[in-house]
Amino acid sequence: MNKKILLTLISISFFFIFSISTYAINQNQSTAIQNLLDEACKKSNTPGISVAIVSDKEASFFSSGYSNLDKKIPADEQTIFELASVSKAFTALGILKLEKQGLLSRTDKIQDYLPWLAFNYRGKSVDMNQLTINNFLNHTSGLTNRKHSATIPEGNSPDMLEKTVKNIKQADLAFLPGESHEYGTINYDILGLLIEVISGKSYEKFMTSEILQPLNLKNTYVTSNEIKNSDSLSLGYRSFFFHPLHYEAPKFRGNTPAGYLLSNSKDLARWMSIQLNQATDIPSEFTSLINESHQQKYTASLSKDMSYGAGWFISTDGTMIFHPGRNPNFAADIHLFPKEKIGISLLANNANANPDLVLAIKSVLDGNLKQSYSLSRIQQLDIWLTIVTIICSILFLVTIGLNKKVRKNLDKFLLKRQIHFLSIMTLSLSVVLLIISVIVLVNHRHIFTWQPYSIATALASSLLLFSTLFLLLIKENK
């Protein structure tokens, strides 16, 4: 009888072992992932990348490159990076905790807490009774990156969060609340200020005491001032003519709830295990809060396949929960695959790095070892603008270097009407480029902070070329 019981137990054990999908990373997969990270660093001009993989309670870490190029400090799972928009899930969890405590409801009107906040739409006042906390959670408020991200003020004083939100008072919304969904980072700054108003604590103190400490996220910070070992904090970089340069980005402390928390891969592995309900050493209340943040009850639909909830993009079939992020000199991403019990995070110290790298890593875990790194859209733009800069600069030098004999014989190759037509065309292009340059200069802080340097160099070189060509053609047309 004992033997029969033993055999039955062994059979059941084998059934569970082989029926549960696990992703123990083997040597071939490890090599493929490491090669992928090395390729990503090289192609994206990113000095350092760190990746964490959580698979059925097991954590693995991969890194490539450096957190500090000058000091040659290697990037690893202990290196602290800016989380960019991955920060939003932390802020959303803070809102959900206040709701759990009965201090707010996601369906509450925002004016119940911020009565001075008011917006316009097409020149008319918006009925603020339409705006609920949930509109800001899922980006259906009408505040968008397209119209409002440039309004975020620079500064590092403790009152910057309030200043940031007050800076958009009377802003003109992109659409009426609830009518559409369009991502706007400043929505989460409003939620951060809401946390301060309701809790009576600063956003930093609330998040540290009510979220980070209870979850035992010891290496996750709200501000860089809390980091004791400066060498553990990665420097940020931007690319200039295909070379990474250290870039000390402006401080946007008022944008912290939306994009400026800091952490390392070690802590993100724990954060992902918490999201996947694999951590057993957290306060019980957080289990329900995490599950609530993944639900689609209060989400905004982006398409038939995707929605946005409390700090997360959520696939409607529940197979994937994720959020990418990009700051002026950092990139980040977290992808969760709940049904497979897998989480993958990416941290990089150059905004060029493509967060979709995590999907290539997931393909490796699925057994597709031959993966390659794909350039991000921002890097593709940078490359094309850099090429434009180089070509226009060469043509400009050739144009001003034309000798007098070539200039005198120009009318032999072109008819007067052709020269006249080309003069009009080059003048038109020069005027258009001048107008664009003025717009860029007016918005220089936002554009030069968030966009590639090559925007400025391409504009300047193109303007020089076409204005020089115009002057040359006008001279020959006389």
Side-chain angles (χ1 to χ4, degrees):
M1 186 68 178
N2 288 338
K3 287 184 179 180
K4 287 183 179 181
I5 293 173
L6 181 61
L7 287 171
T8 301
L9 289 173
I10 291 172
S11 299
I12 292 172
S13 299
F14 271 96
F15 171 78
F16 277 105
I17 288 171
F18 290 105
S19 64
I20 296 175
S21 176
T22 60
Y23 281 82
I25 301 175
N26 59 42
Q27 185 58 49
N28 288 336
Q29 289 171 325
S30 293
T31 300
I33 292 170
Q34 188 60 56
N35 290 340
L36 195 55
L37 295 194
D38 294 341
E39 181 189 11
C41 280
K42 184 178 180 180
K43 284 187 175 181
S44 67
N45 301 313
T46 298
I49 294 176
S50 181
V51 165
I53 301 172
V54 173
S55 174
D56 199 22
K57 298 184 182 181
E58 295 293 327
S60 303
F61 302 99
F62 297 86
S63 300
S64 182
Y66 299 95
S67 65
N68 185 317
L69 277 175
D70 291 335
K71 294 184 178 180
K72 298 299 180 186
I73 300 174
D76 59 25
E77 65 269 22
Q78 302 291 350
T79 304
I80 298 168
F81 298 77
E82 288 180 6
L83 293 184
S85 287
V86 171
S87 305
K88 289 180 173 65
F90 291 86
T91 298
L93 188 58
I95 291 292
L96 294 182
K97 185 167 186 182
L98 289 173
E99 184 178 48
K100 183 80 171 180
Q101 294 170 346
L103 298 176
L104 62 80
S105 169
R106 276 174 281 176
T107 57
D108 288 346
K109 301 172 220 173
I110 193 67
Q111 276 208 326
D112 291 345
Y113 307 99
L114 304 174
W116 45 265
L117 192 61
F119 300 120
N120 300 311
Y121 178 67
R122 295 183 177 177
K124 295 181 180 180
S125 298
V126 169
D127 179 5
M128 294 301 289
N129 289 323
Q130 301 177 56
L131 267 165
T132 67
I133 294 172
N134 200 58
N135 287 131
F136 298 97
L137 272 172
N138 58 36
H139 303 281
T140 57
S141 68
L143 294 169
T144 68
N145 278 353
R146 174 170 47 90
K147 291 196 69 171
H148 306 101
S149 61
T151 65
I152 299 171
E154 182 181 340
N156 196 31
S157 59
D159 62 345
M160 282 310 300
L161 184 53
E162 184 176 358
K163 284 183 177 179
T164 297
V165 178
K166 285 188 173 179
N167 209 40
I168 58 164
K169 188 170 66 171
Q170 300 300 335
D172 194 41
L173 300 181
F175 51 84
L176 286 172
E179 283 195 353
S180 183
H181 169 281
E182 187 174 337
Y183 192 88
T185 191
I186 205 166
N187 285 288
Y188 273 69
D189 298 328
I190 292 174
L191 295 176
L193 183 61
L194 189 63
I195 286 173
E196 290 193 343
V197 169
I198 294 174
S199 70
K201 301 177 181 178
S202 69
Y203 172 81
E204 289 87 350
K205 287 184 178 178
F206 176 87
M207 292 301 294
T208 300
S209 63
E210 300 296 322
I211 303 296
L212 303 181
Q213 289 178 350
L215 294 178
N216 199 26
L217 296 170
K218 296 179 179 178
N219 296 296
T220 303
Y221 305 93
V222 183
T223 68
S224 59
N225 299 332
E226 306 166 59
I227 301 171
K228 296 178 181 178
N229 179 11
S230 60
D231 281 346
S232 66
L233 177 60
S234 175
L235 296 183
Y237 294 83
R238 294 181 73 179
S239 293
F240 185 63
F241 283 92
F242 313 117
H243 183 75
L245 295 178
H246 170 50
Y247 175 58
E248 194 66 43
K251 300 294 183 183
F252 295 102
R253 189 166 175 177
N255 194 221
T256 297
Y260 282 92
L261 270 67
L262 306 103
S263 190
N264 61 19
S265 290
K266 197 81 173 176
D267 257 23
L268 287 190
R270 177 170 173 78
W271 175 241
M272 290 189 292
S273 69
I274 291 170
Q275 297 294 321
L276 293 167
N277 291 321
Q278 295 175 359
T280 58
D281 59 342
I282 63 172
S284 57
E285 65 176 321
F286 280 100
T287 302
S288 61
L289 294 179
I290 294 294
N291 290 335
E292 184 67 19
S293 73
H294 298 168
Q295 297 301 312
Q296 300 185 46
K297 181 180 178 182
Y298 290 103
T299 59
S301 178
L302 281 66
S303 66
K304 66 177 183 179
D305 300 318
M306 197 66 60
S307 61
Y308 192 98
W312 295 103
F313 290 94
I314 306 166
S315 64
T316 51
D317 61 4
T319 58
M320 190 166 64
I321 299 167
F322 67 99
H323 210 299
R326 175 180 171 264
N327 276 359
N329 49 0
F330 287 93
D333 187 38
I334 286 183
H335 266 65
L336 304 169
F337 304 89
K339 293 182 179 180
E340 299 171 272
K341 300 179 182 179
I342 294 174
I344 305 171
S345 69
L346 164 75
L347 295 170
N349 55 10
N350 188 333
N352 271 1
N354 191 346
D356 287 347
L357 176 61
V358 298
L359 297 177
I361 293 172
K362 176 61 166 58
S363 292
V364 172
L365 297 181
D366 290 338
N368 305 312
L369 299 182
K370 293 183 179 180
Q371 298 296 315
S372 60
Y373 175 77
S374 299
L375 300 181
S376 65
R377 289 181 181 178
I378 192 70
Q379 187 177 5
Q380 291 178 40
L381 174 65
D382 184 39
I383 290 170
W384 281 111
L385 289 174
T386 301
I387 291 171
V388 168
T389 300
I390 294 169
I391 292 173
C392 287
S393 298
I394 292 172
L395 291 176
F396 167 71
L397 293 173
V398 169
T399 302
I400 62 174
L402 289 174
N403 59 47
K404 291 181 180 180
K405 186 176 180 180
V406 173
R407 292 181 183 179
K408 285 181 179 179
N409 291 328
L410 186 62
D411 57 355
K412 292 182 180 179
F413 299 99
L414 296 172
L415 299 173
K416 283 288 183 181
R417 64 175 180 271
Q418 292 175 322
I419 294 176
H420 184 67
F421 173 74
L422 289 172
S423 299
I424 294 172
M425 289 298 296
T426 53
L427 176 61
S428 300
L429 284 169
S430 298
V431 170
V432 169
L433 288 168
L434 183 60
I435 292 171
I436 295 173
S437 298
V438 170
I439 294 171
V440 168
L441 287 172
V442 170
N443 298 281
H444 70 281
R445 182 186 65 82
H446 176 72
I447 292 175
F448 292 164
T449 298
W450 289 90
Q451 302 302 326
Y453 291 125
S454 51
I455 287 180
T457 59
L459 275 173
S461 60
S462 301
L463 183 57
L464 279 173
L465 172 63
F466 287 109
S467 59
T468 303
L469 282 171
F470 170 69
L471 293 174
L472 174 62
L473 290 167
I474 283 293
K475 186 177 179 180
E476 295 303 317
N477 199 35
K478 290 181 180 179

